[in-house]
Amino acid sequence: MIRSPLLKALPLALLLALAACKPAQEPAPASSAPPAQAPAPVAPAAADENPAERTTAEFPTLKMKAIDGSEYDLAAHRGKWVVVNFWATWCAPCRKEMPELSALHAMRSNIEVVGLAYEDIETPEMQAFLAKHPVTYPIVVVDPFDPPADFAIPRGLPLTHLIDPKGKVAHTFLGPVTAADIEQQIAAAR
């Protein structure tokens, strides 16, 4: 008996035809329950809850003991421009700007500089560093785990705030700053 190729393919064609004729799925019955809602978005943490997100106060206060034993009080410098410079001994750009900030502090009677050493360092270590890298302005060691409350936590060093004679933050510099940058901002503010 001779079978034609058509007859050999007939069972396969029949199987495919039957599979294609399967009844369509019926839609799911409507439920009386309301549709599920997306979870409510979580509100961002308040500034007090996340200290890393705090900002510098418009009129910051700062009262801390300097390396030389004197008490540094930002409010005592009202009437002058104050350069508040966050830095660290391990920061090469910070060390590079120190001589220029020192000269600015020494040569301009209307500008004061204070260095806030933002690192975990003991006073004798800082004094040894300053013996090799002397400056004319006061240095205060700031605990990086408990920085001054009125200043934002530095996201990079150096970080410099220029405070106007009334005690208000006039400008903030992230990265190295020069005396010319500071004097330019003072001139622009007048």
Side-chain angles (χ1 to χ4, degrees):
M1 176 168 173
I2 300 177
R3 292 191 179 173
S4 75
L6 187 58
L7 285 176
K8 287 182 181 177
L10 188 60
L12 182 58
L14 187 58
L15 185 62
L16 289 174
L18 287 175
C21 292
K22 184 166 94 166
Q25 266 189 324
E26 290 185 30
S31 170
S32 61
Q37 293 182 348
V42 177
D48 292 342
E49 294 175 28
N50 189 356
E53 297 299 320
R54 71 181 186 204
T55 58
T56 298
E58 186 177 11
F59 289 88
T61 60
L62 178 67
K63 193 170 185 177
M64 300 179 77
K65 189 166 290 294
I67 286 295
D68 66 5
S70 66
E71 191 70 32
Y72 183 84
D73 185 357
L74 183 60
H77 300 275
R78 294 285 191 273
K80 295 185 178 190
W81 289 89
V82 180
V83 177
V84 179
N85 178 249
F86 282 85
W87 68 286
T89 58
W90 49 261
C91 168
C94 300
R95 291 189 312 267
K96 184 178 179 184
E97 70 183 4
M98 289 174 73
E100 196 160 345
L101 292 176
S102 189
L104 180 69
H105 177 81
M107 294 179 0
R108 301 280 188 255
S109 60
N110 65 327
I111 301 173
E112 299 282 333
V113 178
V114 61
L116 301 183
Y118 188 69
E119 64 184 300
D120 189 13
I121 189 170
E122 296 296 324
T123 300
E125 290 176 273
M126 180 56 74
Q127 289 169 334
F129 175 85
L130 292 173
K132 293 178 184 173
H133 308 276
V135 294
T136 59
Y137 53 89
I139 299 292
V140 175
V141 174
V142 174
D143 182 350
F145 301 105
D146 187 23
D150 280 359
F151 289 91
I153 295 173
R155 293 182 182 253
L157 294 176
L159 175 70
T160 305
H161 299 285
L162 179 61
I163 313 294
D164 75 12
K166 294 178 184 171
K168 182 179 179 181
V169 175
H171 191 77
T172 299
F173 302 89
L174 179 57
V177 67
T178 65
D181 295 332
I182 293 168
E183 290 180 316
Q184 183 179 9
Q185 283 298 322
I186 290 172
R190 289 185 179 168

